[in-house]
Short mmCIF file of all heavy atoms in Angstrom, two decimals:
data_model
loop_
_atom_site.label_atom_id
_atom_site.label_comp_id
_atom_site.label_asym_id
_atom_site.label_seq_id
_atom_site.Cartn_x
_atom_site.Cartn_y
_atom_site.Cartn_z
N MET A 2 10.54 33.79 10.58
CA MET A 2 11.70 33.35 9.86
C MET A 2 11.39 32.02 9.18
O MET A 2 10.88 31.10 9.80
CB MET A 2 12.85 33.21 10.85
CG MET A 2 14.09 32.65 10.25
SD MET A 2 15.36 32.50 11.50
CE MET A 2 16.68 33.23 10.63
N THR A 3 11.68 31.92 7.93
CA THR A 3 11.45 30.68 7.19
C THR A 3 12.78 30.11 6.74
O THR A 3 13.72 30.85 6.43
CB THR A 3 10.56 30.93 5.96
OG1 THR A 3 11.21 31.84 5.09
CG2 THR A 3 9.20 31.46 6.35
N THR A 4 12.82 28.82 6.71
CA THR A 4 14.01 28.15 6.20
C THR A 4 13.62 27.32 5.01
O THR A 4 12.56 26.70 4.99
CB THR A 4 14.65 27.24 7.28
OG1 THR A 4 13.70 26.27 7.66
CG2 THR A 4 15.10 28.04 8.48
N LYS A 5 14.45 27.33 4.03
CA LYS A 5 14.19 26.57 2.82
C LYS A 5 15.05 25.32 2.84
O LYS A 5 16.27 25.39 3.02
CB LYS A 5 14.53 27.42 1.59
CG LYS A 5 14.16 26.77 0.30
CD LYS A 5 14.41 27.70 -0.86
CE LYS A 5 14.02 27.03 -2.14
NZ LYS A 5 14.25 27.89 -3.29
N LYS A 6 14.40 24.17 2.69
CA LYS A 6 15.15 22.92 2.66
C LYS A 6 15.70 22.70 1.27
O LYS A 6 15.00 22.85 0.28
CB LYS A 6 14.24 21.76 3.05
CG LYS A 6 13.82 21.80 4.49
CD LYS A 6 13.01 20.59 4.84
CE LYS A 6 12.60 20.65 6.28
NZ LYS A 6 11.85 19.49 6.70
N VAL A 7 16.94 22.36 1.21
CA VAL A 7 17.60 22.12 -0.06
C VAL A 7 17.85 20.62 -0.17
O VAL A 7 18.49 20.02 0.68
CB VAL A 7 18.93 22.89 -0.16
CG1 VAL A 7 19.61 22.59 -1.48
CG2 VAL A 7 18.69 24.37 0.00
N ARG A 8 17.32 20.03 -1.21
CA ARG A 8 17.53 18.59 -1.44
C ARG A 8 18.65 18.42 -2.45
O ARG A 8 18.69 19.08 -3.49
CB ARG A 8 16.26 17.94 -1.98
CG ARG A 8 15.21 17.79 -0.95
CD ARG A 8 14.22 16.74 -1.40
NE ARG A 8 13.23 16.54 -0.37
CZ ARG A 8 11.93 16.74 -0.53
NH1 ARG A 8 11.46 17.11 -1.69
NH2 ARG A 8 11.11 16.54 0.46
N THR A 9 19.48 17.49 -2.15
CA THR A 9 20.55 17.16 -3.09
C THR A 9 19.96 16.32 -4.21
O THR A 9 18.88 15.73 -4.06
CB THR A 9 21.67 16.38 -2.38
OG1 THR A 9 21.13 15.13 -1.94
CG2 THR A 9 22.22 17.16 -1.20
N PRO A 10 20.64 16.21 -5.33
CA PRO A 10 20.14 15.34 -6.41
C PRO A 10 19.96 13.89 -5.94
O PRO A 10 18.99 13.24 -6.29
CB PRO A 10 21.23 15.44 -7.48
CG PRO A 10 21.83 16.78 -7.27
CD PRO A 10 21.80 16.99 -5.77
N ALA A 11 20.88 13.40 -5.12
CA ALA A 11 20.74 12.04 -4.60
C ALA A 11 19.51 11.92 -3.71
O ALA A 11 18.81 10.91 -3.72
CB ALA A 11 21.99 11.64 -3.83
N GLY A 12 19.23 12.95 -2.92
CA GLY A 12 18.04 12.96 -2.07
C GLY A 12 16.76 12.94 -2.88
O GLY A 12 15.80 12.25 -2.52
N ARG A 13 16.74 13.69 -3.97
CA ARG A 13 15.56 13.70 -4.85
C ARG A 13 15.35 12.35 -5.50
O ARG A 13 14.22 11.86 -5.63
CB ARG A 13 15.68 14.79 -5.90
CG ARG A 13 15.41 16.17 -5.33
CD ARG A 13 15.40 17.16 -6.44
NE ARG A 13 16.79 17.31 -6.89
CZ ARG A 13 17.38 18.44 -7.17
NH1 ARG A 13 16.70 19.55 -7.11
NH2 ARG A 13 18.62 18.48 -7.54
N VAL A 14 16.43 11.71 -5.94
CA VAL A 14 16.33 10.38 -6.55
C VAL A 14 15.83 9.38 -5.53
O VAL A 14 14.93 8.58 -5.81
CB VAL A 14 17.69 9.94 -7.14
CG1 VAL A 14 17.65 8.48 -7.54
CG2 VAL A 14 18.06 10.81 -8.33
N GLY A 15 16.38 9.42 -4.33
CA GLY A 15 15.93 8.51 -3.27
C GLY A 15 14.47 8.71 -2.94
O GLY A 15 13.72 7.73 -2.76
N PHE A 16 14.04 9.95 -2.84
CA PHE A 16 12.63 10.25 -2.57
C PHE A 16 11.75 9.73 -3.70
O PHE A 16 10.70 9.15 -3.46
CB PHE A 16 12.44 11.76 -2.41
CG PHE A 16 11.05 12.15 -2.05
CD1 PHE A 16 10.57 11.96 -0.77
CD2 PHE A 16 10.21 12.72 -3.00
CE1 PHE A 16 9.27 12.32 -0.43
CE2 PHE A 16 8.92 13.08 -2.67
CZ PHE A 16 8.44 12.88 -1.38
N GLY A 17 12.19 9.90 -4.93
CA GLY A 17 11.44 9.39 -6.07
C GLY A 17 11.33 7.88 -6.08
O GLY A 17 10.26 7.32 -6.35
N VAL A 18 12.42 7.21 -5.74
CA VAL A 18 12.41 5.74 -5.69
C VAL A 18 11.45 5.26 -4.61
O VAL A 18 10.67 4.33 -4.81
CB VAL A 18 13.84 5.19 -5.48
CG1 VAL A 18 13.82 3.72 -5.13
CG2 VAL A 18 14.69 5.45 -6.71
N LEU A 19 11.50 5.88 -3.43
CA LEU A 19 10.60 5.49 -2.34
C LEU A 19 9.14 5.76 -2.69
O LEU A 19 8.26 4.97 -2.35
CB LEU A 19 10.97 6.23 -1.05
CG LEU A 19 12.24 5.74 -0.36
CD1 LEU A 19 12.56 6.63 0.84
CD2 LEU A 19 12.12 4.30 0.05
N THR A 20 8.88 6.85 -3.39
CA THR A 20 7.52 7.17 -3.81
C THR A 20 7.00 6.11 -4.79
O THR A 20 5.88 5.62 -4.65
CB THR A 20 7.47 8.56 -4.47
OG1 THR A 20 7.90 9.53 -3.50
CG2 THR A 20 6.07 8.90 -4.94
N ILE A 21 7.82 5.75 -5.75
CA ILE A 21 7.42 4.73 -6.72
C ILE A 21 7.21 3.38 -6.03
O ILE A 21 6.26 2.66 -6.34
CB ILE A 21 8.45 4.63 -7.86
CG1 ILE A 21 8.40 5.90 -8.71
CG2 ILE A 21 8.23 3.39 -8.72
CD1 ILE A 21 9.54 6.05 -9.70
N ALA A 22 8.08 3.04 -5.09
CA ALA A 22 7.93 1.78 -4.35
C ALA A 22 6.63 1.76 -3.56
O ALA A 22 5.92 0.75 -3.53
CB ALA A 22 9.13 1.56 -3.44
N GLN A 23 6.30 2.87 -2.90
CA GLN A 23 5.06 2.95 -2.13
C GLN A 23 3.85 2.81 -3.03
O GLN A 23 2.91 2.08 -2.71
CB GLN A 23 5.00 4.29 -1.38
CG GLN A 23 3.63 4.67 -0.86
CD GLN A 23 3.02 3.68 0.11
OE1 GLN A 23 3.73 3.00 0.83
NE2 GLN A 23 1.72 3.58 0.10
N LEU A 24 3.85 3.48 -4.15
CA LEU A 24 2.72 3.38 -5.08
C LEU A 24 2.59 1.96 -5.64
O LEU A 24 1.47 1.44 -5.78
CB LEU A 24 2.89 4.40 -6.21
CG LEU A 24 2.75 5.86 -5.79
CD1 LEU A 24 3.11 6.78 -6.96
CD2 LEU A 24 1.35 6.15 -5.29
N ALA A 25 3.71 1.34 -5.95
CA ALA A 25 3.68 -0.04 -6.46
C ALA A 25 3.15 -1.00 -5.40
O ALA A 25 2.35 -1.90 -5.70
CB ALA A 25 5.07 -0.46 -6.93
N PHE A 26 3.57 -0.83 -4.15
CA PHE A 26 3.12 -1.67 -3.05
C PHE A 26 1.61 -1.54 -2.86
O PHE A 26 0.90 -2.54 -2.73
CB PHE A 26 3.88 -1.25 -1.78
CG PHE A 26 3.84 -2.23 -0.65
CD1 PHE A 26 3.72 -3.59 -0.85
CD2 PHE A 26 3.96 -1.77 0.65
CE1 PHE A 26 3.70 -4.48 0.22
CE2 PHE A 26 3.94 -2.65 1.72
CZ PHE A 26 3.82 -4.00 1.51
N ALA A 27 1.11 -0.30 -2.89
CA ALA A 27 -0.33 -0.08 -2.74
C ALA A 27 -1.09 -0.65 -3.94
O ALA A 27 -2.14 -1.27 -3.77
CB ALA A 27 -0.62 1.41 -2.59
N PHE A 28 -0.56 -0.46 -5.15
CA PHE A 28 -1.21 -1.00 -6.33
C PHE A 28 -1.30 -2.52 -6.27
O PHE A 28 -2.34 -3.11 -6.56
CB PHE A 28 -0.46 -0.58 -7.60
CG PHE A 28 -0.95 -1.26 -8.83
CD1 PHE A 28 -2.11 -0.83 -9.45
CD2 PHE A 28 -0.28 -2.36 -9.35
CE1 PHE A 28 -2.60 -1.48 -10.59
CE2 PHE A 28 -0.75 -3.01 -10.49
CZ PHE A 28 -1.91 -2.57 -11.10
N LEU A 29 -0.21 -3.16 -5.87
CA LEU A 29 -0.21 -4.63 -5.78
C LEU A 29 -1.20 -5.12 -4.73
O LEU A 29 -1.88 -6.13 -4.94
CB LEU A 29 1.19 -5.14 -5.45
CG LEU A 29 2.20 -5.04 -6.60
CD1 LEU A 29 3.58 -5.42 -6.11
CD2 LEU A 29 1.78 -5.89 -7.77
N ALA A 30 -1.30 -4.42 -3.62
CA ALA A 30 -2.26 -4.81 -2.59
C ALA A 30 -3.69 -4.66 -3.10
O ALA A 30 -4.54 -5.54 -2.89
CB ALA A 30 -2.05 -3.98 -1.33
N LEU A 31 -3.98 -3.55 -3.78
CA LEU A 31 -5.33 -3.34 -4.32
C LEU A 31 -5.64 -4.36 -5.41
O LEU A 31 -6.75 -4.88 -5.49
CB LEU A 31 -5.46 -1.92 -4.87
CG LEU A 31 -5.52 -0.82 -3.82
CD1 LEU A 31 -5.40 0.55 -4.47
CD2 LEU A 31 -6.80 -0.91 -3.00
N TRP A 32 -4.66 -4.66 -6.25
CA TRP A 32 -4.86 -5.65 -7.30
C TRP A 32 -5.12 -7.03 -6.71
O TRP A 32 -6.03 -7.73 -7.14
CB TRP A 32 -3.63 -5.67 -8.22
CG TRP A 32 -3.76 -6.65 -9.33
CD1 TRP A 32 -4.46 -6.49 -10.49
CD2 TRP A 32 -3.18 -7.96 -9.39
NE1 TRP A 32 -4.34 -7.62 -11.27
CE2 TRP A 32 -3.57 -8.53 -10.61
CE3 TRP A 32 -2.37 -8.67 -8.53
CZ2 TRP A 32 -3.16 -9.80 -10.98
CZ3 TRP A 32 -1.97 -9.94 -8.90
CH2 TRP A 32 -2.37 -10.49 -10.12
N ASP A 33 -4.34 -7.39 -5.69
CA ASP A 33 -4.52 -8.67 -5.04
C ASP A 33 -5.91 -8.75 -4.38
O ASP A 33 -6.60 -9.76 -4.48
CB ASP A 33 -3.44 -8.88 -3.99
CG ASP A 33 -3.52 -10.26 -3.35
OD1 ASP A 33 -3.06 -11.22 -4.00
OD2 ASP A 33 -4.04 -10.37 -2.23
N LEU A 34 -6.30 -7.67 -3.73
CA LEU A 34 -7.62 -7.62 -3.10
C LEU A 34 -8.72 -7.80 -4.13
O LEU A 34 -9.69 -8.53 -3.91
CB LEU A 34 -7.78 -6.29 -2.36
CG LEU A 34 -9.12 -6.06 -1.66
CD1 LEU A 34 -9.30 -7.03 -0.51
CD2 LEU A 34 -9.20 -4.62 -1.17
N ARG A 35 -8.57 -7.17 -5.27
CA ARG A 35 -9.58 -7.26 -6.33
C ARG A 35 -9.67 -8.68 -6.90
O ARG A 35 -10.76 -9.16 -7.22
CB ARG A 35 -9.22 -6.28 -7.45
CG ARG A 35 -10.09 -6.33 -8.67
CD ARG A 35 -11.43 -5.69 -8.42
NE ARG A 35 -12.19 -5.58 -9.64
CZ ARG A 35 -13.18 -6.40 -9.97
NH1 ARG A 35 -13.54 -7.36 -9.16
NH2 ARG A 35 -13.83 -6.23 -11.09
N MET A 36 -8.55 -9.36 -7.00
CA MET A 36 -8.52 -10.69 -7.61
C MET A 36 -8.95 -11.81 -6.66
O MET A 36 -9.35 -12.86 -7.11
CB MET A 36 -7.11 -11.00 -8.13
CG MET A 36 -6.66 -10.12 -9.27
SD MET A 36 -7.70 -10.43 -10.71
CE MET A 36 -8.15 -8.79 -11.17
N ARG A 37 -8.86 -11.59 -5.38
CA ARG A 37 -9.20 -12.63 -4.41
C ARG A 37 -10.71 -12.75 -4.23
O ARG A 37 -11.44 -11.78 -4.33
CB ARG A 37 -8.60 -12.33 -3.04
CG ARG A 37 -7.15 -12.63 -2.99
CD ARG A 37 -6.64 -12.68 -1.58
NE ARG A 37 -5.20 -12.76 -1.64
CZ ARG A 37 -4.54 -13.91 -1.70
NH1 ARG A 37 -5.17 -15.04 -1.67
NH2 ARG A 37 -3.23 -13.90 -1.77
N ARG A 38 -11.14 -13.96 -3.94
CA ARG A 38 -12.55 -14.19 -3.62
C ARG A 38 -12.85 -13.63 -2.24
O ARG A 38 -11.96 -13.53 -1.39
CB ARG A 38 -12.85 -15.69 -3.65
CG ARG A 38 -12.71 -16.29 -5.04
CD ARG A 38 -12.92 -17.76 -4.98
NE ARG A 38 -11.83 -18.33 -4.16
CZ ARG A 38 -11.50 -19.59 -4.16
NH1 ARG A 38 -12.17 -20.45 -4.89
NH2 ARG A 38 -10.50 -20.03 -3.41
N ASP A 39 -14.10 -13.26 -2.02
CA ASP A 39 -14.50 -12.68 -0.74
C ASP A 39 -14.16 -13.59 0.43
O ASP A 39 -13.75 -13.11 1.49
CB ASP A 39 -16.01 -12.39 -0.73
CG ASP A 39 -16.39 -11.24 -1.64
OD1 ASP A 39 -15.49 -10.48 -2.04
OD2 ASP A 39 -17.59 -11.09 -1.93
N ARG A 40 -14.31 -14.88 0.24
CA ARG A 40 -14.08 -15.81 1.36
C ARG A 40 -12.60 -15.98 1.69
O ARG A 40 -12.25 -16.54 2.72
CB ARG A 40 -14.72 -17.15 1.07
CG ARG A 40 -14.10 -17.90 -0.08
CD ARG A 40 -14.77 -19.25 -0.25
NE ARG A 40 -14.14 -19.98 -1.33
CZ ARG A 40 -14.77 -20.45 -2.37
NH1 ARG A 40 -16.07 -20.30 -2.48
NH2 ARG A 40 -14.12 -21.11 -3.31
N ASP A 41 -11.71 -15.49 0.82
CA ASP A 41 -10.27 -15.59 1.07
C ASP A 41 -9.69 -14.36 1.76
O ASP A 41 -8.49 -14.29 2.01
CB ASP A 41 -9.52 -15.83 -0.24
CG ASP A 41 -9.84 -17.18 -0.85
OD1 ASP A 41 -10.23 -18.10 -0.08
OD2 ASP A 41 -9.71 -17.33 -2.07
N VAL A 42 -10.54 -13.38 2.05
CA VAL A 42 -10.11 -12.14 2.68
C VAL A 42 -10.75 -12.04 4.06
O VAL A 42 -11.94 -12.31 4.21
CB VAL A 42 -10.51 -10.91 1.82
CG1 VAL A 42 -10.13 -9.61 2.51
CG2 VAL A 42 -9.86 -10.99 0.45
N LYS A 43 -9.96 -11.67 5.04
CA LYS A 43 -10.49 -11.48 6.40
C LYS A 43 -11.23 -10.15 6.46
O LYS A 43 -10.65 -9.09 6.23
CB LYS A 43 -9.36 -11.48 7.43
CG LYS A 43 -8.68 -12.81 7.56
CD LYS A 43 -7.58 -12.75 8.61
CE LYS A 43 -6.83 -14.05 8.68
NZ LYS A 43 -5.68 -13.97 9.58
N GLY A 44 -12.52 -10.21 6.74
CA GLY A 44 -13.33 -9.00 6.79
C GLY A 44 -13.84 -8.62 5.41
O GLY A 44 -13.45 -9.22 4.40
N PRO A 45 -14.70 -7.60 5.36
CA PRO A 45 -15.22 -7.15 4.07
C PRO A 45 -14.13 -6.47 3.22
O PRO A 45 -13.28 -5.77 3.75
CB PRO A 45 -16.32 -6.15 4.43
CG PRO A 45 -16.39 -6.11 5.91
CD PRO A 45 -15.29 -6.92 6.48
N LYS A 46 -14.19 -6.72 1.94
CA LYS A 46 -13.19 -6.13 1.04
C LYS A 46 -13.22 -4.60 1.08
O LYS A 46 -12.17 -3.97 1.04
CB LYS A 46 -13.42 -6.60 -0.39
CG LYS A 46 -12.94 -7.98 -0.68
CD LYS A 46 -13.12 -8.27 -2.17
CE LYS A 46 -12.41 -9.51 -2.59
NZ LYS A 46 -12.50 -9.70 -4.04
N TRP A 47 -14.40 -4.01 1.17
CA TRP A 47 -14.50 -2.55 1.12
C TRP A 47 -13.79 -1.90 2.29
O TRP A 47 -13.36 -0.74 2.20
CB TRP A 47 -15.96 -2.09 1.03
CG TRP A 47 -16.79 -2.43 2.23
CD1 TRP A 47 -17.54 -3.55 2.42
CD2 TRP A 47 -16.97 -1.65 3.40
NE1 TRP A 47 -18.16 -3.52 3.63
CE2 TRP A 47 -17.84 -2.35 4.26
CE3 TRP A 47 -16.50 -0.40 3.81
CZ2 TRP A 47 -18.22 -1.87 5.51
CZ3 TRP A 47 -16.88 0.08 5.05
CH2 TRP A 47 -17.72 -0.65 5.88
N VAL A 48 -13.61 -2.61 3.40
CA VAL A 48 -12.89 -2.06 4.54
C VAL A 48 -11.40 -1.99 4.25
O VAL A 48 -10.70 -1.08 4.71
CB VAL A 48 -13.16 -2.91 5.80
CG1 VAL A 48 -12.27 -2.49 6.96
CG2 VAL A 48 -14.62 -2.83 6.19
N TRP A 49 -10.89 -2.90 3.45
CA TRP A 49 -9.46 -2.94 3.16
C TRP A 49 -9.03 -1.85 2.18
O TRP A 49 -7.87 -1.45 2.19
CB TRP A 49 -9.06 -4.31 2.63
CG TRP A 49 -8.94 -5.31 3.73
CD1 TRP A 49 -9.80 -6.33 4.02
CD2 TRP A 49 -7.93 -5.35 4.73
NE1 TRP A 49 -9.37 -7.01 5.13
CE2 TRP A 49 -8.21 -6.42 5.59
CE3 TRP A 49 -6.80 -4.58 5.00
CZ2 TRP A 49 -7.42 -6.75 6.68
CZ3 TRP A 49 -6.00 -4.91 6.08
CH2 TRP A 49 -6.31 -5.97 6.91
N VAL A 50 -9.93 -1.38 1.35
CA VAL A 50 -9.55 -0.37 0.34
C VAL A 50 -8.99 0.90 1.00
O VAL A 50 -7.87 1.31 0.69
CB VAL A 50 -10.72 -0.06 -0.61
CG1 VAL A 50 -10.37 1.10 -1.53
CG2 VAL A 50 -11.06 -1.30 -1.43
N PRO A 51 -9.71 1.55 1.93
CA PRO A 51 -9.11 2.74 2.55
C PRO A 51 -7.91 2.40 3.43
O PRO A 51 -6.98 3.21 3.55
CB PRO A 51 -10.24 3.36 3.36
CG PRO A 51 -11.27 2.32 3.51
CD PRO A 51 -11.10 1.37 2.36
N ALA A 52 -7.91 1.21 4.03
CA ALA A 52 -6.77 0.81 4.87
C ALA A 52 -5.50 0.70 4.04
O ALA A 52 -4.41 1.08 4.49
CB ALA A 52 -7.07 -0.51 5.56
N ILE A 53 -5.62 0.20 2.82
CA ILE A 53 -4.46 0.04 1.95
C ILE A 53 -3.88 1.40 1.56
O ILE A 53 -2.68 1.52 1.28
CB ILE A 53 -4.83 -0.80 0.71
CG1 ILE A 53 -5.04 -2.26 1.13
CG2 ILE A 53 -3.78 -0.71 -0.39
CD1 ILE A 53 -5.61 -3.15 0.05
N MET A 54 -4.68 2.44 1.58
CA MET A 54 -4.21 3.77 1.19
C MET A 54 -3.29 4.43 2.22
O MET A 54 -2.69 5.47 1.94
CB MET A 54 -5.40 4.70 0.92
CG MET A 54 -6.25 4.27 -0.23
SD MET A 54 -5.27 4.22 -1.73
CE MET A 54 -6.32 3.24 -2.76
N VAL A 55 -3.16 3.84 3.40
CA VAL A 55 -2.26 4.38 4.42
C VAL A 55 -0.84 3.96 4.06
O VAL A 55 -0.57 2.77 3.90
CB VAL A 55 -2.64 3.87 5.83
CG1 VAL A 55 -1.68 4.40 6.87
CG2 VAL A 55 -4.08 4.25 6.16
N ASN A 56 0.06 4.93 3.97
CA ASN A 56 1.43 4.67 3.53
C ASN A 56 2.04 3.46 4.22
O ASN A 56 2.00 3.36 5.43
CB ASN A 56 2.32 5.87 3.79
CG ASN A 56 2.01 7.02 2.88
OD1 ASN A 56 1.39 6.83 1.85
ND2 ASN A 56 2.43 8.21 3.25
N TRP A 57 2.63 2.60 3.47
CA TRP A 57 3.37 1.41 3.88
C TRP A 57 2.61 0.52 4.84
O TRP A 57 2.58 -0.69 4.67
CB TRP A 57 4.73 1.77 4.50
CG TRP A 57 5.64 2.47 3.55
CD1 TRP A 57 5.96 3.79 3.59
CD2 TRP A 57 6.33 1.94 2.42
NE1 TRP A 57 6.81 4.11 2.56
CE2 TRP A 57 7.06 2.99 1.82
CE3 TRP A 57 6.39 0.68 1.86
CZ2 TRP A 57 7.84 2.80 0.70
CZ3 TRP A 57 7.17 0.49 0.72
CH2 TRP A 57 7.88 1.54 0.15
N ILE A 58 2.00 1.10 5.86
CA ILE A 58 1.33 0.31 6.89
C ILE A 58 0.11 -0.41 6.32
O ILE A 58 -0.14 -1.57 6.64
CB ILE A 58 0.93 1.21 8.08
CG1 ILE A 58 2.18 1.75 8.75
CG2 ILE A 58 0.06 0.46 9.07
CD1 ILE A 58 1.92 2.83 9.75
N GLY A 59 -0.67 0.27 5.50
CA GLY A 59 -1.88 -0.32 4.95
C GLY A 59 -1.63 -1.54 4.09
O GLY A 59 -2.18 -2.62 4.35
N PRO A 60 -0.80 -1.42 3.05
CA PRO A 60 -0.52 -2.61 2.23
C PRO A 60 0.15 -3.73 3.03
O PRO A 60 -0.18 -4.90 2.86
CB PRO A 60 0.41 -2.09 1.13
CG PRO A 60 0.15 -0.64 1.06
CD PRO A 60 -0.24 -0.22 2.44
N ALA A 61 1.06 -3.37 3.92
CA ALA A 61 1.73 -4.39 4.73
C ALA A 61 0.72 -5.10 5.63
O ALA A 61 0.75 -6.33 5.77
CB ALA A 61 2.84 -3.76 5.58
N SER A 62 -0.21 -4.34 6.22
CA SER A 62 -1.24 -4.95 7.06
C SER A 62 -2.13 -5.88 6.26
O SER A 62 -2.50 -6.96 6.75
CB SER A 62 -2.11 -3.86 7.70
OG SER A 62 -1.34 -3.06 8.56
N TYR A 63 -2.48 -5.47 5.05
CA TYR A 63 -3.31 -6.33 4.21
C TYR A 63 -2.61 -7.65 3.92
O TYR A 63 -3.18 -8.72 4.07
CB TYR A 63 -3.67 -5.62 2.90
CG TYR A 63 -4.29 -6.57 1.90
CD1 TYR A 63 -5.58 -7.06 2.09
CD2 TYR A 63 -3.58 -7.01 0.79
CE1 TYR A 63 -6.14 -7.96 1.20
CE2 TYR A 63 -4.13 -7.90 -0.11
CZ TYR A 63 -5.42 -8.38 0.10
OH TYR A 63 -5.96 -9.27 -0.77
N PHE A 64 -1.33 -7.57 3.49
CA PHE A 64 -0.61 -8.80 3.16
C PHE A 64 -0.34 -9.67 4.39
O PHE A 64 -0.32 -10.89 4.29
CB PHE A 64 0.69 -8.48 2.43
CG PHE A 64 0.49 -8.07 0.99
CD1 PHE A 64 0.90 -6.83 0.54
CD2 PHE A 64 -0.13 -8.93 0.09
CE1 PHE A 64 0.71 -6.45 -0.79
CE2 PHE A 64 -0.33 -8.56 -1.23
CZ PHE A 64 0.09 -7.32 -1.67
N LEU A 65 -0.14 -9.05 5.55
CA LEU A 65 0.16 -9.82 6.75
C LEU A 65 -1.09 -10.35 7.45
O LEU A 65 -1.09 -11.47 7.96
CB LEU A 65 0.96 -8.96 7.74
CG LEU A 65 2.38 -8.62 7.32
CD1 LEU A 65 2.99 -7.62 8.30
CD2 LEU A 65 3.24 -9.87 7.24
N PHE A 66 -2.16 -9.53 7.52
CA PHE A 66 -3.32 -9.89 8.33
C PHE A 66 -4.62 -10.03 7.55
O PHE A 66 -5.58 -10.58 8.08
CB PHE A 66 -3.53 -8.83 9.42
CG PHE A 66 -2.31 -8.56 10.24
CD1 PHE A 66 -1.68 -7.34 10.20
CD2 PHE A 66 -1.77 -9.55 11.05
CE1 PHE A 66 -0.56 -7.08 10.95
CE2 PHE A 66 -0.63 -9.31 11.81
CZ PHE A 66 -0.03 -8.07 11.76
N GLY A 67 -4.70 -9.54 6.34
CA GLY A 67 -5.96 -9.51 5.62
C GLY A 67 -6.27 -10.71 4.76
O GLY A 67 -7.38 -10.88 4.29
N ILE A 68 -5.28 -11.57 4.55
CA ILE A 68 -5.46 -12.72 3.68
C ILE A 68 -5.56 -13.98 4.54
O ILE A 68 -4.69 -14.22 5.39
CB ILE A 68 -4.29 -12.85 2.69
CG1 ILE A 68 -4.21 -11.58 1.82
CG2 ILE A 68 -4.44 -14.08 1.83
CD1 ILE A 68 -2.96 -11.50 0.98
N LYS A 69 -6.58 -14.76 4.30
CA LYS A 69 -6.72 -16.03 5.01
C LYS A 69 -5.71 -17.02 4.44
O LYS A 69 -5.56 -17.13 3.23
CB LYS A 69 -8.14 -16.58 4.87
CG LYS A 69 -9.16 -15.77 5.59
CD LYS A 69 -10.53 -16.40 5.45
CE LYS A 69 -11.58 -15.54 6.14
NZ LYS A 69 -12.93 -16.06 5.94
N ARG A 70 -5.05 -17.71 5.29
CA ARG A 70 -4.03 -18.68 4.87
C ARG A 70 -4.53 -20.08 5.06
O ARG A 70 -5.22 -20.44 5.90
CB ARG A 70 -2.74 -18.47 5.65
CG ARG A 70 -2.30 -17.03 5.59
CD ARG A 70 -0.96 -16.92 4.92
NE ARG A 70 -0.48 -15.54 5.03
CZ ARG A 70 -0.42 -14.73 3.99
NH1 ARG A 70 -0.76 -15.13 2.81
NH2 ARG A 70 0.03 -13.51 4.14
#
């Protein structure tokens, strides 16, 4: 037995907004990583690239823990 999920128009808009926000967050983290000097990032930069690709957690981790203050 299969069930089909029906999304309301408001649900689709909300999903679209969250998707765009996630992509923007990841883009900003990658852009920031690219612009920073190696010595301003905790750990090697190449390690942060795949970490940033993890939904919400990756970019948030980079901004919270990956930048030397």
Side-chain angles (χ1 to χ4, degrees):
M2 175 181 228
T3 61
T4 59
K5 186 175 180 180
K6 292 184 180 182
V7 179
R8 287 200 177 120
T9 64
R13 284 186 288 224
V14 170
F16 183 75
V18 168
L19 287 175
T20 300
I21 291 169
Q23 164 60 30
L24 291 173
F26 196 29
F28 172 79
L29 288 174
L31 289 170
W32 180 79
D33 185 79
L34 179 66
R35 175 75 172 102
M36 294 295 130
R37 283 195 189 271
R38 294 176 296 198
D39 290 345
R40 66 178 182 236
D41 294 335
V42 177
K43 293 181 184 174
K46 282 185 168 185
W47 64 269
V48 172
W49 282 107
V50 173
I53 289 172
M54 296 300 163
V55 178
N56 289 341
W57 298 107
I58 295 170
S62 296
Y63 169 72
F64 284 120
L65 291 173
F66 307 114
I68 300 170
K69 291 182 182 175
R70 309 242 187 251

